[in-house]
Amino acid sequence: MVYVREYAERTRAAKASLAWTELRYGDGPTDRLDIYPAVHPAGRPGAPVLVFLHGGDWRALTKEESGFGAPAYVAAGATFVAPDFSLVPDATIPGMGAQVRRALAWLWRNIAVHGGDPARIHVAGHSSGANLVSQLLTTDWARDFRAPADLVKGAVFMSGLGDLEPVRLSFRNQWHRLDEAMVAEASLLRRRPGTACPMILAAGEHETADYKRQGREVAAWWAAQGNRTQFFELAGRNHFDAVLEWADPRSALFRASLQMMGLG
């Protein structure tokens, strides 16, 4: 697909132009992540951390297609992180959520060594990655990882679903194999939040009606929990290129993401 090729080409360009390192956050075959550290003057405290979770219908893509946002965010003062995680059929959707929780807990314990501030971790996800972001927001960090309850300081939810029941009822379930219990476990709109933080939501003008409807439902539900939300409908964008606007320093969505992190 042309968009996947663009994600990959931009990620290769990021790796050619920026400092970065690949590290392991566990012993599993996909327990790897790339860290693109922020560049800031000596003596300043650690940079805010932005963790990007890629899309791909929980079945495709890796961190090698996930670094396209690094140049813009690193230049603005953030440390950018792109994790790998197992995909269907090697993992279930709730299993992916558990894996990215481990990745975030590892970052909280270790990111200071790489110039990031463990007290300013933010997450962003696109498509199926937005669902993984939402699973992070239902985590009991203190109970499960002995980490701060507010480990996640802000979230960006792009082109995602807050309720996976439509996936369970669709042809896509032939490979996702969701049952009712898994839908309940992995759907933000069916869970009690584990944390409170601001959330930015976005969907392309040319997304399907269900993606736009669910995005607005997640925004309303998250605001009803007492959290600050912003919703962007991205003019001219579709499901696959909406995320490129998030990586564009000229866009309002990019500026909002910086403001959420205390930059800009």
Side-chain angles (χ1 to χ4, degrees):
M1 177 186 285
V2 62
Y3 297 110
V4 174
R5 186 163 62 247
E6 184 167 1
Y7 305 157
E9 289 173 352
R10 291 192 183 197
T11 299
R12 285 194 293 272
K15 289 187 169 184
S17 64
L18 300 173
W20 66 280
T21 187
E22 180 186 67
L23 296 170
R24 298 196 63 84
Y25 61 85
D27 297 327
T30 59
D31 289 354
R32 302 179 300 263
L33 49 77
D34 290 340
I35 299 176
Y36 302 80
V39 178
H40 48 74
R44 284 186 58 182
V49 180
L50 180 59
V51 182
F52 175 66
L53 302 174
H54 66 75
D57 193 30
W58 303 278
R59 297 187 297 147
L61 304 186
T62 68
K63 64 184 178 61
E64 302 307 321
E65 297 84 35
S66 303
F68 56 84
Y73 285 100
V74 166
T79 288
F80 189 94
V81 181
D84 264 344
F85 42 88
S86 297
L87 304 172
V88 168
D90 297 324
T92 65
I93 292 173
M96 287 178 222
Q99 187 174 357
V100 297
R101 289 183 180 107
R102 288 194 293 106
L104 241 66
W106 185 93
L107 283 167
W108 172 70
R109 293 190 297 267
N110 294 280
I111 196 62
V113 176
H114 303 281
D117 185 347
R120 292 192 289 167
I121 294 176
H122 300 77
V123 294
H126 172 244
S127 190
S128 54
N131 166 260
L132 297 177
V133 163
S134 73
Q135 291 193 58
L136 293 173
L137 299 179
T138 64
T139 306
D140 188 330
W141 295 104
R143 181 195 66 197
D144 296 343
F145 296 98
R146 298 183 181 179
D150 63 346
L151 187 154
V152 177
K153 294 301 194 296
V156 185
F157 182 100
M158 296 174 280
S159 305
L161 298 174
D163 188 341
L164 298 187
E165 183 69 358
V167 178
R168 187 182 75 84
L169 297 176
S170 76
F171 72 93
R172 297 162 67 190
N173 210 38
Q174 63 186 304
W175 48 78
H176 292 312
R177 301 187 182 281
L178 288 165
D179 58 27
E180 291 182 355
M182 293 165 70
V183 168
E185 180 180 356
S187 295
L188 182 60
L189 293 175
R190 296 168 179 250
R191 294 289 304 276
R192 177 176 298 178
T195 191
C197 68
M199 183 190 291
I200 297 167
L201 303 99
E205 177 188 8
H206 302 306
E207 303 258 14
T208 66
D210 198 47
Y211 276 109
K212 289 192 280 189
R213 175 185 61 80
Q214 284 219 30
R216 293 190 183 279
E217 286 183 0
V218 170
W221 183 87
W222 196 243
Q225 315 307 309
N227 299 297
R228 187 172 75 253
T229 63
Q230 294 174 273
F231 185 90
F232 292 84
E233 183 168 322
L234 307 175
R237 295 294 194 177
N238 61 47
H239 184 73
F240 301 100
D241 69 0
V243 67
L244 297 178
E245 187 145 340
W246 166 79
D248 183 350
R250 300 166 297 180
S251 74
L253 177 57
F254 178 85
R255 292 193 297 272
S257 297
L258 291 190
Q259 290 167 2
M260 183 178 69
M261 291 187 287
L263 300 171

